[in-house]
Amino acid sequence: MTANAEAIGKRYEPTTYAVGREKIIEFALATGETDPLHLDVEAARTAGYPDVVAPPMFAVVYQRRSVSGALFDPELAIDFAHMVHGGQEFTWERLAVAGDELTTTLTVADVSERMGMSFVAFATESLNQLGETVCTGLWTNIVRTPA
Amino acid sequence: MKPGDEISLTVNPDRYTTVRYAGASGDFNPIHIDEEFARSVGLPGRILHGLWTMAQVARAHTEAFGGAAGPASLAELSVQFRGMGVMEQEITVRGTVEEVEGDTAVVRSEAIQDGRRIVRNARARVRVLPDSGD
């Protein structure tokens, strides 16, 4: 079973994520970050931020709800047993800061077959509470077609 | 910063790295945290989250080039995941500045574990501060 190409362009209901100070610190520690901007409120404020700053890769946290929703969409019919995360792109316009509320919209960017594999890609865009773009992403999953 | 400049970061994921990252990221796929499940689907054991490894690639850039801008220096990062990373084995991220134009540098990198490129074709755009030298 391969994914459904008619789903290209499908757009999902936006999801909202409230960025918390302790979640940023937890993520920073789990990924080996040592920059005090991620770990210490005073250091972040001294540098001009209102609160601790999320590492760039924290995008996986605030975009996850949207990505999970698409992965489990029955219309896409993704064969999880043969799926791997093939590639990932992020572009950051600004970093998320504790206290932000980010809204993420996801669109199915690609469903195609190449070299005996299916490619399913999701384009994501996260805006903050001021409507400013924080991060856009492209999540590429590869589904190996069983022989 | 100039073309040819190199960056490098070495990290040693311990045996609980994926457990901490699962909690921090919300990705509880059992292939990362359940040894028995991982073996049952043909893996050698629990494997690293690709996005954790990508976070090490990101950190290699922000630590090398961040300066005063710190984590905000990273404007863009794209990677391909190949093979799989495992715990308790050193990972090295190596990158080279490919070009510098205006206030942006392009850096190519990869992450290597035991001779295997587990992240390849990584390409980053890094914001360069005007006073950061050549």
Side-chain angles (χ1 to χ4, degrees):
Chain A
M1 181 73 195
T2 52
N4 179 2
E6 286 171 17
I8 294 174
K10 182 172 180 179
R11 209 175 170 84
Y12 295 79
E13 277 297 301
T15 63
T16 300
Y17 183 90
V19 181
R21 178 189 296 167
E22 300 293 346
K23 191 68 191 177
I24 286 178
I25 295 171
E26 181 190 6
F27 185 87
L29 293 174
T31 51
E33 297 286 353
T34 55
D35 191 321
L37 289 178
H38 307 309
L39 304 168
D40 177 6
V41 181
E42 286 316 311
R45 288 188 178 147
T46 302
Y49 293 97
D51 207 314
V52 293
V53 180
M57 286 299 292
F58 191 78
V60 307
V61 178
Y62 55 77
Q63 296 196 343
R64 175 158 305 281
R65 217 166 272 158
S66 280
V67 173
S68 297
L71 280 175
F72 290 102
D73 177 2
E75 193 187 335
L76 287 180
I78 293 175
D79 174 7
F80 289 105
H82 299 95
M83 189 190 82
V84 295
H85 193 174
Q88 183 68 51
E89 298 180 25
F90 285 119
T91 300
W92 295 273
E93 300 297 330
R94 50 183 54 74
L95 293 172
V97 176
D100 278 354
E101 275 205 17
L102 305 178
T103 301
T104 298
T105 308
L106 182 147
T107 309
V108 178
D110 182 33
V111 178
S112 60
E113 305 257 347
R114 298 196 290 279
M115 301 171 289
M117 296 182 284
S118 305
F119 291 77
V120 182
F122 302 134
T124 47
E125 180 176 34
S126 301
L127 309 183
N128 65 15
Q129 61 282 1
L130 303 173
E132 300 165 327
T133 302
V134 172
C135 177
T136 58
L138 186 67
W139 302 64
T140 303
N141 300 292
I142 301 176
V143 184
R144 287 167 207 286
T145 310
Chain B
M1 191 189 303
K2 58 183 184 305
D5 282 359
E6 294 185 349
I7 63 168
S8 173
L9 178 144
T10 298
V11 59
N12 280 290
D14 68 33
R15 61 185 304 183
Y16 301 118
T17 293
T18 57
V19 177
R20 283 190 296 271
Y21 185 77
S25 70
D27 182 347
F28 290 94
N29 186 329
I31 61 173
H32 304 301
I33 52 178
D34 184 336
E35 194 74 22
E36 220 169 278
F37 180 88
R39 290 185 198 278
S40 78
V41 295
L43 295 168
R46 299 175 301 142
I47 61 170
L48 291 168
H49 296 78
L51 289 169
W52 178 87
T53 309
M54 185 179 179
Q56 307 313 307
V57 176
R59 191 160 66 84
H61 291 77
T62 54
E63 288 186 0
F65 301 124
S73 61
L74 188 61
E76 191 180 315
L77 179 62
S78 64
V79 304
Q80 290 176 353
F81 301 114
R82 290 295 182 271
M84 57 191 110
V86 296
M87 278 154 277
E88 302 189 284
Q89 205 172 95
E90 190 174 275
I91 295 172
T92 303
V93 179
R94 282 208 187 85
T96 307
V97 177
E98 192 176 74
E99 58 176 88
V100 181
E101 206 178 299
D103 58 0
T104 304
V106 174
V107 184
R108 301 272 184 180
S109 64
E110 56 191 15
I112 300 163
Q113 186 175 48
D114 193 25
R116 291 170 300 112
R117 295 184 297 157
I118 58 174
V119 167
R120 63 173 72 178
N121 296 329
R123 182 182 185 277
R125 276 196 310 113
V126 180
R127 298 182 183 100
V128 186
L129 293 175
D131 61 348
S132 66
D134 52 14

